[in-house]
Amino acid sequence: MRYAPQFAGFCAVALARETSTKGNPEYWLLSEGKLYLFGKPIGPALFQQDIAGNLVKAEQNRPRTVNR
């Protein structure tokens, strides 16, 4: 099976925190059939603390941060 990273490969935690950092393919998480990348090894653990909340924040911030 193959997965395309969400958020155009940007770090999901960074987007949730209103910044943009490229995700590193070594730090990832599969959740509900979607692949999320992170910029640091701690990223998946931080993201899992509140997946639903982090997804909402990342989706809201993506247009503002990715297009900078």
Side-chain angles (χ1 to χ4, degrees), residues 1-2 8-9 11-12 17 22 27-28 30 34 39 41 52 56 59 63 66:
M1 207 177 266
R2 294 181 185 201
C11 173
R17 295 179 174 180
K22 276 293 200 181
Y27 314 125
W28 55 272
L30 281 177
K34 295 182 179 182
V56 168
E59 282 291 343
V66 173

Side-chain angles (χ1 to χ4, degrees), residues 24-51:
N24 183 328
E26 291 185 30
Y27 314 125
W28 55 272
L29 171 71
L30 281 177
S31 178
E32 296 189 19
K34 295 182 179 182
L35 173 64
Y36 300 96
L37 298 181
F38 304 93
K40 296 180 181 177
I42 188 99
L46 291 174
F47 196 72
Q48 285 180 304
Q49 289 176 355
D50 181 13
I51 292 175

